[in-house]
Amino acid sequence: MASFSVTSLPASKLIGVLGGPERTVVCGIAATVVGTALFLVFGQGPWATTGPLALFCAGFAAVYPVIFGRSMGIHPELQGAAASLNMSGRALLVTLFTGVAGSLFTGTSRATAGAMAVAVAVAALLAFVRPSPVRDRTAAEPVAETG
């Protein structure tokens, strides 16, 4: 929690330090990937678990404000619904991956690290997907006249 909180609180300043939103996403995703890989390879014991997971959390905390902000801009008229969907979707996915990792648990961190690796791989790919601009249909399509 500390690594997530310490990174989240100064997130707007961190975006400036890292060189803007795009670079922040790249750096944050890199941190989550490296943290997950280190956890997958070395994640046995308290220090070998805490270090990689702290790096993962810091990377996620750096990326989240950028991604969340982008999702609010897709349909500005639906920001409340978009925020709710974003947060509930995130909670649902965390619950799903926690359940999968828990059901595969064998006494080592491999199942947890494997579930994290799948989640990070999917999230990393989706983080770089740009939605197409919303087209104003009223201006583009002529109104049919009846008469």
Side-chain angles (χ1 to χ4, degrees):
M1 283 306 290
S3 60
F4 188 86
S5 298
V6 167
T7 307
S8 293
L9 292 173
S12 61
K13 290 180 182 170
L14 183 63
I15 291 169
V17 168
L18 291 175
E22 295 301 321
R23 184 129 167 90
T24 301
V25 170
V26 170
C27 291
I29 294 293
T32 62
V33 168
V34 170
T36 302
L38 290 172
F39 183 47
L40 191 58
V41 174
F42 300 112
Q44 294 299 323
W47 293 107
T49 299
T50 302
L53 291 181
L55 182 60
F56 167 86
C57 288
F60 183 78
V63 169
Y64 193 71
V66 176
I67 301 299
F68 190 80
R70 284 182 185 166
S71 69
M72 297 297 101
I74 296 172
H75 291 286
E77 70 279 5
L78 299 173
Q79 284 187 356
S84 295
L85 181 62
N86 190 316
M87 296 304 288
S88 61
R90 183 177 125 196
L92 180 65
L93 288 173
V94 167
T95 301
L96 175 70
F97 279 101
T98 301
V100 168
S103 69
L104 297 174
F105 185 68
T106 60
T108 71
S109 65
R110 296 283 183 234
T112 303
M116 280 179 64
V118 170
V120 166
V122 170
L125 293 173
L126 292 176
F128 297 105
V129 172
R130 288 282 198 174
S132 60
V134 177
R135 200 177 71 165
D136 183 6
R137 294 177 191 223
T138 59
E141 298 174 7
V143 177
E145 294 184 31
T146 59

